[in-house]
Amino acid sequence: MVEPTAVTLTNDEIQEFESMYSEILEAVIKDYENSKDQLYLATDWMVKAINYNVPKGKKLRGLMVPITYRNFVKNPTKEEMRMAYVLGWCIEILQGACLVADDIMDKSETRRGQPCWYKLEDVGLMAVNDTFMLENLAYKVLKLYVSKEPYYMEVLEITHEITLKTILGQCMDCHMENSDDILESFTMDRYSSIVKYKTSYYTMYLPVLFGMIMAGRGRDQKSIQKVEEIMLDIGHYFQVQDDFLDCFGNEDVTGKIGTDIQDSKCSWLFIQAVQKCNDKELECLLNNYGCNERGKIERVKRLYKDLELENVFREYENNVYLEIVDKIQKLPVELPGKLFEMLLLKIFQRQN
Ligand code: GPP
Ligand code: MG
Ligand code: MG
């Protein structure tokens, strides 16, 4: 028997997803245009904020919605695919909101190869308002495009629930910076909890769930539970990669300058370093971690290199890949296992 393969998006479909962005933006603006109030003062700014913060990423999350839908429904109509693109863009808009906020909290300099939004001279603290603007824009888009669909309420509820999970994760992540005793606080168990909430739910689980809800599989509890488990595993791996790239990535490729060391983050690299350190190295790590001084940051980076954390990461990456593939192969037949393998492959050994 020939193994079934996952359905991918055609180039035309990817193009349609891309062009849906300007259509959505126009629809939003048009909705405000007829107002007698001088709303253009705000909508002009909104267009600027959206164009700067939404369409310039990898669009991994956004594309995952139509990819998932295509693998659950054999012959989708053009209109159904358009809905999947819209749901994809809603996640990209939420992601834009999260990134604007995250960069303020992490005191970052660059994102997606350009200065962080809050760093622009004419933005500054306005960026706080813009995170609310972007987040609520996603709901506006849902209302405009999805409100007549039978799954509208389901999508709304799940989006609210997962956004709140992400916010709770971010709360845990930021609290770690103030730990009195980082050696005691930064455990692998704690790391797993933070990552599950701040990253995995909205990055990996939400796009697949959207595709499944559209396909009428949103209330199939048994399948949803299995999918949640797999996608959270992939999400954990995704954040470990993000932590690795924060120190070892090429800034020209990642588009961002790492901040985890000076921000004293509960990072996967720090936890690995503690496990491999001798007493002297540990003292050095603790003396230099969490200080925004170039020399101290470099000292920690050198220590990570001396401890050969790149090799530890490569080994982790190969093992986790095999473990997840094994789990995928044990999924019940009513789930398209090849889809999950393809999603995992999309991020395997990623450089950005
Ligand atoms: C990634 O962590 C997590 C997020 C971007 C979620 C933020 C959520 C909010 C509710 C604001 P990270 O800080 O490692 O991301 P990056 O490396 O991209 O800065
Ligand atoms: Mg952060
Ligand atoms: Mg990071």
Side-chain angles (χ1 to χ4, degrees):
M1 198 181 91
V2 185
E3 277 273 297
T5 50
V7 183
T8 51
L9 294 185
T10 63
N11 286 340
D12 279 354
E13 285 172 328
I14 295 173
Q15 197 47 53
E16 280 161 27
F17 169 79
E18 291 283 348
S19 50
M20 195 78 208
Y21 170 77
S22 20
E23 189 190 318
I24 290 171
L25 190 51
E26 259 174 55
V28 169
I29 300 305
K30 203 162 165 233
D31 202 60
Y32 290 111
E33 245 169 25
N34 297 330
S35 166
K36 287 194 192 70
D37 305 317
Q38 299 198 0
L39 258 185
Y40 65 89
L41 290 171
T43 51
D44 284 356
W45 181 266
M46 182 158 79
V47 171
K48 193 172 130 145
I50 300 167
N51 282 336
Y52 196 88
N53 293 298
V54 177
K56 299 175 185 169
K58 303 185 283 286
K59 285 163 270 221
L60 171 76
R61 298 162 182 80
L63 283 163
M64 276 168 67
V65 181
I67 292 173
T68 300
Y69 187 64
R70 283 293 250 113
N71 279 274
F72 274 91
V73 173
K74 266 212 179 83
N75 296 305
T77 63
K78 279 229 165 233
E79 192 46 34
E80 285 168 348
M81 284 308 282
R82 268 170 57 81
M83 284 299 140
Y85 303 148
V86 170
L87 289 184
W89 277 112
C90 284
I91 303 186
E92 289 297 325
I93 296 167
L94 288 173
Q95 156 81 343
C98 284
L99 295 182
V100 169
D102 183 67
D103 285 337
I104 302 171
M105 288 180 254
D106 291 348
K107 304 165 279 302
S108 298
E109 295 289 333
T110 57
R111 167 75 64 186
R112 294 171 170 168
Q114 55 184 16
C116 297
W117 178 242
Y118 83 101
K119 280 274 165 186
L120 298 187
E121 215 172 306
D122 58 342
V123 181
L125 287 180
M126 266 287 279
V128 174
N129 197 51
D130 296 334
T131 64
F132 291 120
M133 190 190 260
L134 285 168
E135 184 190 356
N136 286 283
L137 178 76
Y139 292 100
K140 176 93 188 166
V141 174
L142 285 177
K143 172 98 199 294
L144 284 175
Y145 283 87
V146 189
S147 57
K148 291 200 172 62
E149 302 297 330
Y151 49 79
Y152 181 51
M153 270 312 282
E154 216 176 327
V155 162
L156 270 189
E157 279 178 13
I158 208 71
T159 308
H160 279 298
E161 192 183 318
I162 289 191
T163 304
L164 187 52
K165 279 190 161 72
T166 310
I167 292 167
L168 295 175
Q170 182 74 355
C171 180
M172 292 191 267
D173 175 274
C174 290
H175 269 303
M176 287 303 107
E177 296 177 31
N178 306 323
S179 297
D180 291 332
D181 185 349
I182 57 177
L183 265 191
E184 201 189 333
S185 300
F186 293 7
T187 62
M188 204 56 202
D189 268 356
R190 182 161 288 177
Y191 178 78
S192 297
S193 284
I194 296 171
V195 166
K196 178 175 169 182
Y197 282 82
K198 79 163 178 172
T199 298
S200 308
Y201 272 115
Y202 90 100
T203 301
M204 291 294 160
Y205 178 54
L206 184 61
V208 172
L209 190 54
F210 271 1
M212 287 181 71
I213 288 173
M214 275 194 69
R217 298 285 292 273
R219 296 189 199 279
D220 176 354
Q221 279 312 322
K222 255 169 106 180
S223 295
I224 292 289
Q225 210 184 331
K226 296 266 178 215
V227 168
E228 178 175 346
E229 200 184 308
I230 296 279
M231 294 321 291
L232 293 181
D233 281 352
I234 299 180
H236 183 101
Y237 165 44
F238 182 88
Q239 186 61 38
V240 173
Q241 291 174 310
D242 182 84
D243 288 2
F244 175 78
L245 293 171
D246 187 273
C247 171
F248 290 104
N250 176 346
E251 286 163 11
D252 295 332
V253 180
T254 62
K256 57 189 185 186
I257 302 167
T259 54
D260 287 353
I261 295 172
Q262 59 268 42
D263 286 349
S264 194
K265 289 291 183 188
C266 176
S267 154
W268 186 86
L269 289 173
F270 181 88
I271 297 174
Q272 300 307 316
V274 171
Q275 284 174 14
K276 280 198 100 186
C277 273
N278 60 30
D279 287 351
K280 221 173 132 223
E281 288 164 334
L282 185 61
E283 197 190 327
C284 167
L285 182 62
L286 295 177
N287 281 339
N288 291 286
Y289 205 66
C291 297
N292 195 9
E293 286 169 37
R294 192 194 288 256
K296 293 195 170 188
I297 297 166
E298 282 311 315
R299 193 66 202 86
V300 175
K301 286 193 178 183
R302 183 137 41 88
L303 188 60
Y304 284 175
K305 288 203 173 93
D306 293 345
L307 291 168
E308 298 182 336
L309 293 191
E310 279 175 279
N311 293 341
V312 179
F313 172 74
R314 293 292 162 220
E315 202 185 320
Y316 160 82
E317 180 160 59
N318 289 327
N319 289 338
V320 80
Y321 177 81
L322 293 176
E323 272 168 36
I324 297 176
V325 167
D326 189 56
K327 266 199 190 177
I328 291 171
Q329 285 169 352
K330 289 184 179 127
L331 281 175
V333 284
E334 59 270 22
L335 284 169
K338 290 289 163 191
L339 162 70
F340 302 102
E341 282 184 36
M342 181 174 75
L343 297 178
L344 175 61
L345 256 185
K346 274 194 185 300
I347 64 158
F348 183 56
Q349 293 183 340
R350 71 187 175 98
Q351 304 296 316
N352 70 347

